[in-house]
PDB file of all heavy atoms in Angstrom:
ATOM      1  N   ASN P 611     107.515  -8.120 -85.602  1.00  0.00           N
ATOM      2  CA  ASN P 611     107.744  -9.484 -85.353  1.00  0.00           C
ATOM      3  C   ASN P 611     108.182 -10.294 -86.527  1.00  0.00           C
ATOM      4  O   ASN P 611     108.510 -11.474 -86.550  1.00  0.00           O
ATOM      5  CB  ASN P 611     106.545 -10.130 -84.660  1.00  0.00           C
ATOM      6  CG  ASN P 611     106.422  -9.872 -83.176  1.00  0.00           C
ATOM      7  OD1 ASN P 611     106.983 -10.490 -82.323  1.00  0.00           O
ATOM      8  ND2 ASN P 611     105.566  -8.810 -82.887  1.00  0.00           N
ATOM      9  N   PHE P 612     108.127  -9.663 -87.737  1.00  0.00           N
ATOM     10  CA  PHE P 612     108.308 -10.385 -88.961  1.00  0.00           C
ATOM     11  C   PHE P 612     109.682 -11.069 -89.160  1.00  0.00           C
ATOM     12  O   PHE P 612     109.833 -12.176 -89.498  1.00  0.00           O
ATOM     13  CB  PHE P 612     107.910  -9.599 -90.214  1.00  0.00           C
ATOM     14  CG  PHE P 612     107.937 -10.453 -91.469  1.00  0.00           C
ATOM     15  CD1 PHE P 612     107.000 -11.363 -91.678  1.00  0.00           C
ATOM     16  CD2 PHE P 612     109.049 -10.261 -92.403  1.00  0.00           C
ATOM     17  CE1 PHE P 612     107.049 -12.134 -92.895  1.00  0.00           C
ATOM     18  CE2 PHE P 612     109.041 -11.007 -93.519  1.00  0.00           C
ATOM     19  CZ  PHE P 612     108.084 -12.001 -93.733  1.00  0.00           C
ATOM     20  N   PRO P 613     110.754 -10.341 -88.600  1.00  0.00           N
ATOM     21  CA  PRO P 613     112.050 -10.958 -88.769  1.00  0.00           C
ATOM     22  C   PRO P 613     112.145 -12.302 -88.006  1.00  0.00           C
ATOM     23  O   PRO P 613     112.704 -13.318 -88.444  1.00  0.00           O
ATOM     24  CB  PRO P 613     113.025  -9.989 -88.111  1.00  0.00           C
ATOM     25  CG  PRO P 613     112.425  -8.621 -88.402  1.00  0.00           C
ATOM     26  CD  PRO P 613     110.848  -8.939 -88.212  1.00  0.00           C
ATOM     27  N   ARG P 614     111.392 -12.417 -86.827  1.00  0.00           N
ATOM     28  CA  ARG P 614     111.283 -13.660 -86.103  1.00  0.00           C
ATOM     29  C   ARG P 614     110.495 -14.719 -86.854  1.00  0.00           C
ATOM     30  O   ARG P 614     110.835 -15.932 -86.954  1.00  0.00           O
ATOM     31  CB  ARG P 614     110.629 -13.420 -84.783  1.00  0.00           C
ATOM     32  CG  ARG P 614     110.469 -14.702 -83.895  1.00  0.00           C
ATOM     33  CD  ARG P 614     109.699 -14.357 -82.579  1.00  0.00           C
ATOM     34  NE  ARG P 614     108.522 -13.675 -82.780  1.00  0.00           N
ATOM     35  CZ  ARG P 614     107.366 -14.362 -83.025  1.00  0.00           C
ATOM     36  NH1 ARG P 614     107.372 -15.603 -83.236  1.00  0.00           N
ATOM     37  NH2 ARG P 614     106.260 -13.570 -83.210  1.00  0.00           N
ATOM     38  N   ILE P 615     109.325 -14.240 -87.425  1.00  0.00           N
ATOM     39  CA  ILE P 615     108.336 -15.102 -88.137  1.00  0.00           C
ATOM     40  C   ILE P 615     109.068 -15.696 -89.405  1.00  0.00           C
ATOM     41  O   ILE P 615     108.942 -16.932 -89.654  1.00  0.00           O
ATOM     42  CB  ILE P 615     107.222 -14.367 -88.580  1.00  0.00           C
ATOM     43  CG1 ILE P 615     106.378 -13.920 -87.325  1.00  0.00           C
ATOM     44  CG2 ILE P 615     106.273 -15.144 -89.527  1.00  0.00           C
ATOM     45  CD1 ILE P 615     105.251 -12.937 -87.584  1.00  0.00           C
ATOM     46  N   LYS P 616     109.918 -14.846 -90.039  1.00  0.00           N
ATOM     47  CA  LYS P 616     110.577 -15.340 -91.199  1.00  0.00           C
ATOM     48  C   LYS P 616     111.705 -16.370 -90.966  1.00  0.00           C
ATOM     49  O   LYS P 616     112.123 -17.080 -91.969  1.00  0.00           O
ATOM     50  CB  LYS P 616     111.139 -14.162 -91.941  1.00  0.00           C
ATOM     51  CG  LYS P 616     111.691 -14.375 -93.420  1.00  0.00           C
ATOM     52  CD  LYS P 616     112.154 -13.122 -93.944  1.00  0.00           C
ATOM     53  CE  LYS P 616     112.645 -13.287 -95.438  1.00  0.00           C
ATOM     54  NZ  LYS P 616     113.964 -14.098 -95.433  1.00  0.00           N
ATOM     55  N   LYS P 617     112.077 -16.566 -89.793  1.00  0.00           N
ATOM     56  CA  LYS P 617     113.104 -17.604 -89.366  1.00  0.00           C
ATOM     57  C   LYS P 617     112.641 -19.036 -89.678  1.00  0.00           C
ATOM     58  O   LYS P 617     113.470 -19.941 -89.912  1.00  0.00           O
ATOM     59  CB  LYS P 617     113.590 -17.401 -87.931  1.00  0.00           C
ATOM     60  CG  LYS P 617     114.493 -16.241 -87.826  1.00  0.00           C
ATOM     61  CD  LYS P 617     114.919 -16.048 -86.339  1.00  0.00           C
ATOM     62  CE  LYS P 617     115.909 -14.855 -86.154  1.00  0.00           C
ATOM     63  NZ  LYS P 617     116.362 -14.620 -84.786  1.00  0.00           N
ATOM     64  N   ALA P 618     111.307 -19.260 -89.658  1.00  0.00           N
ATOM     65  CA  ALA P 618     110.736 -20.531 -89.914  1.00  0.00           C
ATOM     66  C   ALA P 618     111.136 -20.861 -91.390  1.00  0.00           C
ATOM     67  O   ALA P 618     110.878 -20.023 -92.265  1.00  0.00           O
ATOM     68  CB  ALA P 618     109.203 -20.613 -89.645  1.00  0.00           C
ATOM     69  N   HIS P 619     111.612 -22.055 -91.596  1.00  0.00           N
ATOM     70  CA  HIS P 619     112.089 -22.317 -92.916  1.00  0.00           C
ATOM     71  C   HIS P 619     111.075 -22.227 -94.038  1.00  0.00           C
ATOM     72  O   HIS P 619     111.409 -21.883 -95.163  1.00  0.00           O
ATOM     73  CB  HIS P 619     112.751 -23.736 -92.968  1.00  0.00           C
ATOM     74  CG  HIS P 619     111.788 -24.799 -92.948  1.00  0.00           C
ATOM     75  ND1 HIS P 619     111.210 -25.335 -91.725  1.00  0.00           N
ATOM     76  CD2 HIS P 619     111.280 -25.695 -93.899  1.00  0.00           C
ATOM     77  CE1 HIS P 619     110.377 -26.356 -92.028  1.00  0.00           C
ATOM     78  NE2 HIS P 619     110.451 -26.462 -93.181  1.00  0.00           N
ATOM     79  N   GLN P 620     109.897 -22.554 -93.738  1.00  0.00           N
ATOM     80  CA  GLN P 620     108.794 -22.469 -94.749  1.00  0.00           C
ATOM     81  C   GLN P 620     108.320 -20.997 -94.977  1.00  0.00           C
ATOM     82  O   GLN P 620     107.509 -20.690 -95.965  1.00  0.00           O
ATOM     83  CB  GLN P 620     107.528 -23.320 -94.315  1.00  0.00           C
ATOM     84  CG  GLN P 620     107.995 -24.718 -94.306  1.00  0.00           C
ATOM     85  CD  GLN P 620     106.701 -25.643 -94.160  1.00  0.00           C
ATOM     86  OE1 GLN P 620     105.717 -25.421 -94.837  1.00  0.00           O
ATOM     87  NE2 GLN P 620     106.771 -26.700 -93.301  1.00  0.00           N
ATOM     88  N   ASN P 621     108.802 -20.016 -94.213  1.00  0.00           N
ATOM     89  CA  ASN P 621     108.561 -18.602 -94.501  1.00  0.00           C
ATOM     90  C   ASN P 621     109.659 -17.911 -95.114  1.00  0.00           C
ATOM     91  O   ASN P 621     109.764 -16.648 -95.091  1.00  0.00           O
ATOM     92  CB  ASN P 621     108.193 -17.925 -93.128  1.00  0.00           C
ATOM     93  CG  ASN P 621     106.969 -18.548 -92.617  1.00  0.00           C
ATOM     94  OD1 ASN P 621     106.034 -18.986 -93.151  1.00  0.00           O
ATOM     95  ND2 ASN P 621     106.787 -18.264 -91.262  1.00  0.00           N
ATOM     96  N   TYR P 622     110.586 -18.643 -95.790  1.00  0.00           N
ATOM     97  CA  TYR P 622     111.787 -18.043 -96.401  1.00  0.00           C
ATOM     98  C   TYR P 622     111.433 -16.936 -97.368  1.00  0.00           C
ATOM     99  O   TYR P 622     112.119 -15.912 -97.525  1.00  0.00           O
ATOM    100  CB  TYR P 622     112.688 -19.044 -97.005  1.00  0.00           C
ATOM    101  CG  TYR P 622     112.131 -19.722 -98.272  1.00  0.00           C
ATOM    102  CD1 TYR P 622     112.361 -19.138 -99.450  1.00  0.00           C
ATOM    103  CD2 TYR P 622     111.301 -20.832 -98.171  1.00  0.00           C
ATOM    104  CE1 TYR P 622     111.978 -19.797-100.600  1.00  0.00           C
ATOM    105  CE2 TYR P 622     110.748 -21.374 -99.219  1.00  0.00           C
ATOM    106  CZ  TYR P 622     111.016 -20.846-100.493  1.00  0.00           C
ATOM    107  OH  TYR P 622     110.421 -21.398-101.638  1.00  0.00           O
ATOM    108  N   GLY P 623     110.282 -17.117 -98.104  1.00  0.00           N
ATOM    109  CA  GLY P 623     109.963 -16.177 -99.145  1.00  0.00           C
ATOM    110  C   GLY P 623     109.018 -15.101 -98.627  1.00  0.00           C
ATOM    111  O   GLY P 623     108.630 -14.234 -99.415  1.00  0.00           O
ATOM    112  N   GLY P 624     108.633 -15.111 -97.334  1.00  0.00           N
ATOM    113  CA  GLY P 624     107.593 -14.147 -96.830  1.00  0.00           C
ATOM    114  C   GLY P 624     106.441 -14.993 -96.375  1.00  0.00           C
ATOM    115  O   GLY P 624     106.356 -16.187 -96.309  1.00  0.00           O
ATOM    116  N   THR P 625     105.395 -14.210 -95.976  1.00  0.00           N
ATOM    117  CA  THR P 625     104.114 -14.773 -95.659  1.00  0.00           C
ATOM    118  C   THR P 625     103.055 -14.079 -96.406  1.00  0.00           C
ATOM    119  O   THR P 625     103.268 -12.995 -96.903  1.00  0.00           O
ATOM    120  CB  THR P 625     103.831 -14.714 -94.119  1.00  0.00           C
ATOM    121  OG1 THR P 625     103.590 -13.368 -93.718  1.00  0.00           O
ATOM    122  CG2 THR P 625     104.916 -15.331 -93.283  1.00  0.00           C
ATOM    123  N   TYR P 626     101.883 -14.573 -96.418  1.00  0.00           N
ATOM    124  CA  TYR P 626     100.755 -14.042 -97.158  1.00  0.00           C
ATOM    125  C   TYR P 626     100.366 -12.693 -96.510  1.00  0.00           C
ATOM    126  O   TYR P 626     100.102 -11.767 -97.216  1.00  0.00           O
ATOM    127  CB  TYR P 626      99.614 -15.024 -97.249  1.00  0.00           C
ATOM    128  CG  TYR P 626      99.896 -16.324 -97.977  1.00  0.00           C
ATOM    129  CD1 TYR P 626      99.984 -17.477 -97.366  1.00  0.00           C
ATOM    130  CD2 TYR P 626     100.485 -16.233 -99.294  1.00  0.00           C
ATOM    131  CE1 TYR P 626     100.339 -18.695 -97.974  1.00  0.00           C
ATOM    132  CE2 TYR P 626     100.806 -17.426 -99.954  1.00  0.00           C
ATOM    133  CZ  TYR P 626     100.750 -18.670 -99.279  1.00  0.00           C
ATOM    134  OH  TYR P 626     101.107 -19.806 -99.873  1.00  0.00           O
ATOM    135  N   PHE P 627     100.312 -12.691 -95.156  1.00  0.00           N
ATOM    136  CA  PHE P 627      99.872 -11.490 -94.477  1.00  0.00           C
ATOM    137  C   PHE P 627     100.982 -10.439 -94.771  1.00  0.00           C
ATOM    138  O   PHE P 627     100.598  -9.228 -94.939  1.00  0.00           O
ATOM    139  CB  PHE P 627      99.683 -11.767 -93.066  1.00  0.00           C
ATOM    140  CG  PHE P 627      98.916 -10.557 -92.338  1.00  0.00           C
ATOM    141  CD1 PHE P 627      97.622 -10.230 -92.699  1.00  0.00           C
ATOM    142  CD2 PHE P 627      99.629  -9.800 -91.450  1.00  0.00           C
ATOM    143  CE1 PHE P 627      96.971  -9.216 -92.055  1.00  0.00           C
ATOM    144  CE2 PHE P 627      98.935  -8.814 -90.814  1.00  0.00           C
ATOM    145  CZ  PHE P 627      97.669  -8.472 -91.075  1.00  0.00           C
ATOM    146  N   GLN P 628     102.177 -10.722 -94.756  1.00  0.00           N
ATOM    147  CA  GLN P 628     103.160  -9.730 -95.066  1.00  0.00           C
ATOM    148  C   GLN P 628     103.084  -9.113 -96.401  1.00  0.00           C
ATOM    149  O   GLN P 628     103.119  -7.934 -96.542  1.00  0.00           O
ATOM    150  CB  GLN P 628     104.549 -10.344 -94.918  1.00  0.00           C
ATOM    151  CG  GLN P 628     105.732  -9.436 -95.058  1.00  0.00           C
ATOM    152  CD  GLN P 628     106.334  -9.488 -96.400  1.00  0.00           C
ATOM    153  OE1 GLN P 628     106.241 -10.449 -97.126  1.00  0.00           O
ATOM    154  NE2 GLN P 628     107.139  -8.445 -96.751  1.00  0.00           N
ATOM    155  N   ARG P 629     102.684  -9.892 -97.362  1.00  0.00           N
ATOM    156  CA  ARG P 629     102.411  -9.487 -98.684  1.00  0.00           C
ATOM    157  C   ARG P 629     101.168  -8.490 -98.761  1.00  0.00           C
ATOM    158  O   ARG P 629     101.183  -7.618 -99.519  1.00  0.00           O
ATOM    159  CB  ARG P 629     102.261 -10.601 -99.742  1.00  0.00           C
ATOM    160  CG  ARG P 629     103.528 -11.395 -99.894  1.00  0.00           C
ATOM    161  CD  ARG P 629     104.472 -10.858-100.973  1.00  0.00           C
ATOM    162  NE  ARG P 629     105.545 -11.627-101.150  1.00  0.00           N
ATOM    163  CZ  ARG P 629     105.796 -12.425-102.172  1.00  0.00           C
ATOM    164  NH1 ARG P 629     105.027 -12.594-103.150  1.00  0.00           N
ATOM    165  NH2 ARG P 629     107.041 -13.077-102.323  1.00  0.00           N
ATOM    166  N   LEU P 630     100.206  -8.847 -97.962  1.00  0.00           N
ATOM    167  CA  LEU P 630      99.001  -8.098 -97.902  1.00  0.00           C
ATOM    168  C   LEU P 630      99.110  -6.694 -97.283  1.00  0.00           C
ATOM    169  O   LEU P 630      98.542  -5.720 -97.740  1.00  0.00           O
ATOM    170  CB  LEU P 630      97.764  -8.819 -97.139  1.00  0.00           C
ATOM    171  CG  LEU P 630      97.368 -10.057 -97.869  1.00  0.00           C
ATOM    172  CD1 LEU P 630      96.473 -10.872 -96.873  1.00  0.00           C
ATOM    173  CD2 LEU P 630      96.520  -9.634 -99.144  1.00  0.00           C
ATOM    174  N   ILE P 631      99.996  -6.572 -96.309  1.00  0.00           N
ATOM    175  CA  ILE P 631     100.161  -5.297 -95.594  1.00  0.00           C
ATOM    176  C   ILE P 631     101.420  -4.543 -95.921  1.00  0.00           C
ATOM    177  O   ILE P 631     101.590  -3.409 -95.518  1.00  0.00           O
ATOM    178  CB  ILE P 631     100.104  -5.519 -94.013  1.00  0.00           C
ATOM    179  CG1 ILE P 631     101.297  -6.235 -93.489  1.00  0.00           C
ATOM    180  CG2 ILE P 631      98.824  -6.082 -93.600  1.00  0.00           C
ATOM    181  CD1 ILE P 631     101.431  -6.242 -92.019  1.00  0.00           C
ATOM    182  N   SER P 632     102.314  -5.190 -96.794  1.00  0.00           N
ATOM    183  CA  SER P 632     103.561  -4.545 -97.101  1.00  0.00           C
ATOM    184  C   SER P 632     104.052  -5.088 -98.410  1.00  0.00           C
ATOM    185  O   SER P 632     105.181  -5.508 -98.624  1.00  0.00           O
ATOM    186  CB  SER P 632     104.647  -4.733 -95.975  1.00  0.00           C
ATOM    187  OG  SER P 632     105.732  -3.975 -96.241  1.00  0.00           O
ATOM    188  N   PHE P 633     103.234  -5.039 -99.486  1.00  0.00           N
ATOM    189  CA  PHE P 633     103.533  -5.593-100.850  1.00  0.00           C
ATOM    190  C   PHE P 633     104.647  -4.743-101.464  1.00  0.00           C
ATOM    191  O   PHE P 633     104.681  -3.509-101.334  1.00  0.00           O
ATOM    192  CB  PHE P 633     102.225  -5.613-101.684  1.00  0.00           C
ATOM    193  CG  PHE P 633     102.492  -6.321-102.974  1.00  0.00           C
ATOM    194  CD1 PHE P 633     102.429  -7.738-103.007  1.00  0.00           C
ATOM    195  CD2 PHE P 633     102.694  -5.673-104.162  1.00  0.00           C
ATOM    196  CE1 PHE P 633     102.519  -8.400-104.204  1.00  0.00           C
ATOM    197  CE2 PHE P 633     102.884  -6.344-105.347  1.00  0.00           C
ATOM    198  CZ  PHE P 633     102.861  -7.711-105.343  1.00  0.00           C
ATOM    199  N   ASN P 634     105.590  -5.439-102.150  1.00  0.00           N
ATOM    200  CA  ASN P 634     106.578  -4.692-102.848  1.00  0.00           C
ATOM    201  C   ASN P 634     107.559  -3.992-101.847  1.00  0.00           C
ATOM    202  O   ASN P 634     107.987  -2.925-102.206  1.00  0.00           O
ATOM    203  CB  ASN P 634     106.020  -3.715-103.747  1.00  0.00           C
ATOM    204  CG  ASN P 634     107.115  -3.071-104.770  1.00  0.00           C
ATOM    205  OD1 ASN P 634     108.047  -3.784-105.004  1.00  0.00           O
ATOM    206  ND2 ASN P 634     106.805  -1.955-105.296  1.00  0.00           N
ATOM    207  N   SER P 635     107.846  -4.661-100.684  1.00  0.00           N
ATOM    208  CA  SER P 635     108.754  -4.055 -99.808  1.00  0.00           C
ATOM    209  C   SER P 635     109.937  -5.049 -99.590  1.00  0.00           C
ATOM    210  O   SER P 635     109.861  -6.140-100.031  1.00  0.00           O
ATOM    211  CB  SER P 635     108.017  -3.774 -98.349  1.00  0.00           C
ATOM    212  OG  SER P 635     107.842  -5.033 -97.765  1.00  0.00           O
ATOM    213  N   THR P 636     110.939  -4.568 -98.824  1.00  0.00           N
ATOM    214  CA  THR P 636     111.911  -5.537 -98.388  1.00  0.00           C
ATOM    215  C   THR P 636     111.291  -6.296 -97.233  1.00  0.00           C
ATOM    216  O   THR P 636     110.235  -5.886 -96.691  1.00  0.00           O
ATOM    217  CB  THR P 636     113.088  -4.856 -97.741  1.00  0.00           C
ATOM    218  OG1 THR P 636     112.665  -3.875 -96.716  1.00  0.00           O
ATOM    219  CG2 THR P 636     113.807  -3.960 -98.799  1.00  0.00           C
ATOM    220  N   TYR P 637     111.900  -7.504 -96.917  1.00  0.00           N
ATOM    221  CA  TYR P 637     111.142  -8.350 -95.988  1.00  0.00           C
ATOM    222  C   TYR P 637     111.033  -7.930 -94.568  1.00  0.00           C
ATOM    223  O   TYR P 637     110.267  -8.535 -93.727  1.00  0.00           O
ATOM    224  CB  TYR P 637     111.821  -9.722 -96.108  1.00  0.00           C
ATOM    225  CG  TYR P 637     111.574 -10.563 -97.311  1.00  0.00           C
ATOM    226  CD1 TYR P 637     112.588 -11.132 -97.930  1.00  0.00           C
ATOM    227  CD2 TYR P 637     110.358 -10.498 -97.909  1.00  0.00           C
ATOM    228  CE1 TYR P 637     112.382 -11.851 -99.124  1.00  0.00           C
ATOM    229  CE2 TYR P 637     110.141 -11.234 -99.216  1.00  0.00           C
ATOM    230  CZ  TYR P 637     111.202 -11.838 -99.760  1.00  0.00           C
ATOM    231  OH  TYR P 637     110.959 -12.497-100.877  1.00  0.00           O
ATOM    232  N   ASN P 638     111.777  -6.975 -94.167  1.00  0.00           N
ATOM    233  CA  ASN P 638     111.718  -6.534 -92.823  1.00  0.00           C
ATOM    234  C   ASN P 638     111.328  -5.060 -92.629  1.00  0.00           C
ATOM    235  O   ASN P 638     111.745  -4.306 -91.700  1.00  0.00           O
ATOM    236  CB  ASN P 638     113.139  -6.754 -92.082  1.00  0.00           C
ATOM    237  CG  ASN P 638     114.264  -6.002 -92.873  1.00  0.00           C
ATOM    238  OD1 ASN P 638     113.957  -5.367 -93.851  1.00  0.00           O
ATOM    239  ND2 ASN P 638     115.396  -6.052 -92.283  1.00  0.00           N
ATOM    240  N   SER P 639     110.533  -4.571 -93.541  1.00  0.00           N
ATOM    241  CA  SER P 639     110.187  -3.079 -93.501  1.00  0.00           C
ATOM    242  C   SER P 639     108.723  -3.000 -93.768  1.00  0.00           C
ATOM    243  O   SER P 639     108.018  -3.882 -94.187  1.00  0.00           O
ATOM    244  CB  SER P 639     110.999  -2.290 -94.466  1.00  0.00           C
ATOM    245  OG  SER P 639     110.461  -2.409 -95.768  1.00  0.00           O
TER     246      SER P 639
END
């Protein structure tokens, strides 16, 4: 669901949970 979540303008750089479960990745993998 992250590609949808990232569409919110304040999530342009990612989210904290995305960094926690997929650190050092592309934003949609």
